[in-house]
Amino acid sequence: MSYPQENDRPPNIYQIRIDGHLDKKWESWFEDATITLEDNGETVLTCRVVDQSALYALLTKVRNLGLPLVSVNRVAPDQNDKPDNTP
């Protein structure tokens, strides 16, 4: 059984939920992530991620901002325009 190489797969879409609001100007710093500000004071970053190292790089940026990480969820491509509202 052979496994597909990382570069053979389409990018995954992740929603990274953090506590606090980020300004839209941070979208380019988060590699063109879509920033959605929630009414509950959280921010959802919706990102296309090509592999696990790219995901860890995004999570490192969240850590470097000092904002508390609430959740990280992989979503189906047809759900990327709907923020994940699970706690």
Side-chain angles (χ1 to χ4, degrees):
M1 173 181 213
S2 67
Y3 294 98
Q5 299 297 315
E6 286 289 330
N7 57 1
D8 292 340
R9 297 181 194 162
N12 289 307
I13 298 172
Y14 282 87
Q15 288 182 332
I16 302 171
R17 186 175 290 274
I18 56 177
D19 191 20
H21 279 169
L22 286 179
D23 192 276
K24 294 278 188 177
K25 68 181 180 184
W26 289 98
E27 283 179 335
S28 63
W29 195 66
F30 279 104
E31 300 174 22
D32 298 318
T34 300
I35 294 178
T36 305
L37 305 178
E38 300 286 308
D39 291 337
N40 65 358
E42 294 177 348
T43 298
V44 177
L45 303 170
T46 303
C47 318
R48 293 174 57 105
V49 179
V50 295
D51 58 21
Q52 290 295 299
S53 63
L55 176 61
Y56 291 130
L58 286 169
L59 295 174
T60 298
K61 288 181 177 187
V62 170
R63 182 204 63 202
N64 290 345
L65 285 176
L67 298 172
L69 179 65
V70 175
S71 66
V72 178
N73 295 299
R74 189 172 68 180
V75 297
D78 60 342
Q79 292 179 324
N80 66 348
D81 58 344
K82 301 175 209 151
D84 178 15
N85 290 324
T86 58

